[in-house]
Amino acid sequence: MNAFWTPQAAIIVFLLVVLAVVISNLIILNRMRLGRYPLPKHLPRVSVMVPARNEEKNISSCVESLLSQDYHDFELLVLDDHSTDRTWEILQELARENKKLRIIKGKPLPSDWLGKHWACQQMAEEASGELFLFTDADTQHHHLALRDAVAALISEDADLLTALPAEEVGSWGAKLIVPLLPSGLLALLPLSIAYRVHWPALCAAIGGFMLFRREAYQKVGGFEAVRTNPVDDIAIGRIIKAQGFRWRLADGQDRISCWMYSNFREAFEGFAKSLYAAFNRSVPIFLLIWLWLAIVFWEPLVVLALRIGGVPISDLSLILAGAAIGISLLLWGISLWRFRFPIHLAFLYPVSMLIGFVIAMYSMIVTLTGRAVWKGRRVGM
């Protein structure tokens, strides 16, 4: 019995459990795809809110896609968060052409708030809808996105519906990093359990698309409750769950797309600003998880390389190493296929995991030392 529970065997067991989670999540997300829910008899008024800071490249296409929604009763609020580019000028031009669009000039940032959180808080105070939809300026929306999201929220009787968008990636560097986020959610968040237990840690929200019932949003304190947390989406999702409200994650790839990061540097810095905070700033847990993931995905490759190189390691099994590599390729291939990334990137999973580990360690260091920065502002509060 002891011979079976070797580190190599533990890796195989872990990977098989992850594979089971992935398969279960695929089934659930396929059922919870935007566009599959029936329309309710009553579609409530929705306030759609977009914070924008230095988004001159994205803001026009985002706003135009939101204004084109096939939804009878909604308003669109966009707040310019002290942009230094042409974001405000572009918003003014768009506002002159459509009365549904309300543009807001952001107030000075208080010392105890993070920028995006303060922007969302200001818009929420101005919003008139029964439902609040917060989305990002780097997203684009199918003309049925809002209607289908409201239908999903009502059908699932949810207080917060968040949706996974289709991630658009450009450079090779971004392709190696961006898939880590949806792949991690698919592999490490068992939705079948998360929907049944009260534990807030088993919850995730996607900041690019969060649809709240106004009453639930206000009762949990809105963005004020998470005003210093760099991972506002995950934090507010956990508060929603902790206070007994109902949360659901939907597949929104057919309705929402997001151009999160265009190159390696943007992706690296974007992940680094919030990755450590997503683990509740617990150094031991953070290190344990990332060291284990590094071992899971790199130890079999090292064993294989040593065996090929003729190094005598008789106590390590080449068969188990090969099995672990095969399961890893399967996991990454499924995830890349499901989230519409190039499937050949599966063969580069060791590189992605190595980069992910470096980002994780960097994120911990810059957050603990207060040097995490995004869009010219410190976020490591």
Side-chain angles (χ1 to χ4, degrees):
M1 189 69 168
N2 291 334
F4 176 76
W5 287 108
T6 64
Q8 283 189 291
I11 289 172
I12 294 292
V13 171
F14 175 80
L15 288 172
L16 288 175
V17 170
V18 170
L19 181 59
V21 171
V22 166
I23 293 171
S24 173
N25 283 346
L26 287 175
I27 294 170
I28 293 172
L29 286 174
N30 185 61
R31 179 180 64 80
M32 299 182 63
R33 190 170 68 242
L34 296 189
R36 296 196 64 177
Y37 291 90
L39 282 180
K41 294 181 179 179
H42 170 65
L43 289 170
R45 179 171 174 79
V46 183
S47 294
V48 182
M49 290 168 269
V50 182
R53 177 173 170 82
N54 294 335
E55 294 285 358
E56 64 179 8
K57 292 189 297 184
N58 301 313
I59 195 62
S60 182
S61 57
C62 174
V63 169
E64 288 172 354
S65 72
L66 288 168
L67 289 172
S68 70
Q69 292 302 298
D70 181 13
Y71 198 89
H72 76 289
D73 190 12
F74 76 97
E75 63 175 349
L76 175 58
L77 290 77
V78 183
L79 184 141
D80 176 59
D81 185 16
H82 303 277
S83 297
T84 56
D85 60 6
R86 293 191 62 252
T87 298
W88 180 247
E89 287 77 9
I90 295 171
L91 287 173
Q92 286 180 308
E93 294 172 9
L94 292 168
R96 281 194 290 267
E97 299 172 1
N98 198 300
K99 293 182 180 179
K100 282 188 179 291
L101 173 60
R102 295 172 55 196
I103 58 174
I104 303 169
K105 200 71 168 167
K107 298 176 184 177
L109 178 65
S111 59
D112 59 341
W113 281 77
L114 293 176
K116 178 184 175 182
H117 311 45
W118 176 234
C120 290
Q121 176 72 10
Q122 292 175 76
M123 288 186 289
E125 291 173 355
E126 298 283 336
S128 62
E130 295 177 51
L131 304 180
F132 287 177
L133 172 61
F134 295 94
T135 188
D136 289 340
D138 56 9
T139 59
Q140 292 189 41
H141 303 256
H142 187 278
H143 71 281
L144 298 178
L146 184 55
R147 187 193 73 176
D148 290 341
V150 172
L153 178 109
I154 293 174
S155 294
E156 293 288 342
D157 192 26
D159 299 292
L160 165 60
L161 180 92
T162 187
L164 286 161
E167 297 285 358
E168 306 289 343
V169 288
S171 72
W172 264 97
K175 289 177 182 177
L176 291 172
I177 297 176
V178 172
L180 289 170
L181 175 59
S183 298
L185 282 175
L186 186 67
L188 302 176
L189 180 65
L191 295 175
S192 60
I193 298 174
Y195 291 157
R196 290 174 170 83
V197 301
H198 184 68
W199 191 25
L202 283 181
C203 179
I206 310 301
F209 198 93
M210 297 191 297
L211 179 64
F212 293 88
R213 293 186 190 270
R214 181 190 187 107
E215 181 181 6
Y217 172 85
Q218 292 177 336
K219 282 188 175 180
V220 302
F223 278 89
E224 185 175 7
V226 296
R227 63 185 180 275
T228 62
N229 195 318
V231 283
D232 54 288
D233 46 4
I234 294 177
I236 204 167
R238 288 174 176 171
I239 293 175
I240 281 279
K241 189 172 184 180
Q243 296 195 19
F245 292 103
R246 188 176 172 92
W247 150 85
R248 287 295 182 267
L249 174 67
D251 179 2
Q253 291 181 99
D254 293 332
R255 295 293 184 258
I256 313 136
S257 62
C258 175
W259 192 279
M260 189 181 293
Y261 306 115
S262 59
N263 55 53
F264 180 86
R265 180 176 179 178
E266 284 185 7
F268 190 100
E269 293 178 350
F271 274 56
K273 71 178 170 61
S274 56
L275 185 57
Y276 175 67
F279 290 80
N280 288 328
R281 299 182 174 90
S282 172
V283 173
I285 292 176
F286 189 76
L287 288 175
L288 181 64
I289 289 173
W290 279 98
L291 286 171
W292 172 243
L293 291 175
I295 291 170
V296 166
F297 291 107
W298 267 94
E299 190 266 2
L301 293 166
V302 172
V303 171
L304 181 63
L306 291 175
R307 277 299 186 93
I308 292 175
V311 178
I313 47 170
S314 57
D315 56 331
L316 295 175
S317 169
L318 185 60
I319 293 176
L320 289 179
I325 294 169
I327 299 171
S328 297
L329 282 169
L330 178 62
L331 285 170
W332 283 83
I334 290 173
S335 179
L336 292 166
W337 163 78
R338 184 60 180 80
F339 295 113
R340 304 174 187 177
F341 295 109
I343 198 167
H344 61 263
L345 291 175
F347 294 99
L348 296 176
Y349 81 82
V351 179
S352 290
M353 280 307 304
L354 179 60
I355 295 172
F357 182 82
V358 172
I359 292 174
M361 297 304 104
Y362 178 77
S363 176
M364 182 178 66
I365 292 169
V366 296
T367 304
L368 290 174
T369 58
R371 293 187 290 113
V373 176
W374 184 246
K375 294 192 175 182
R377 288 172 172 163
R378 289 193 182 276
V379 297
M381 299 175 66

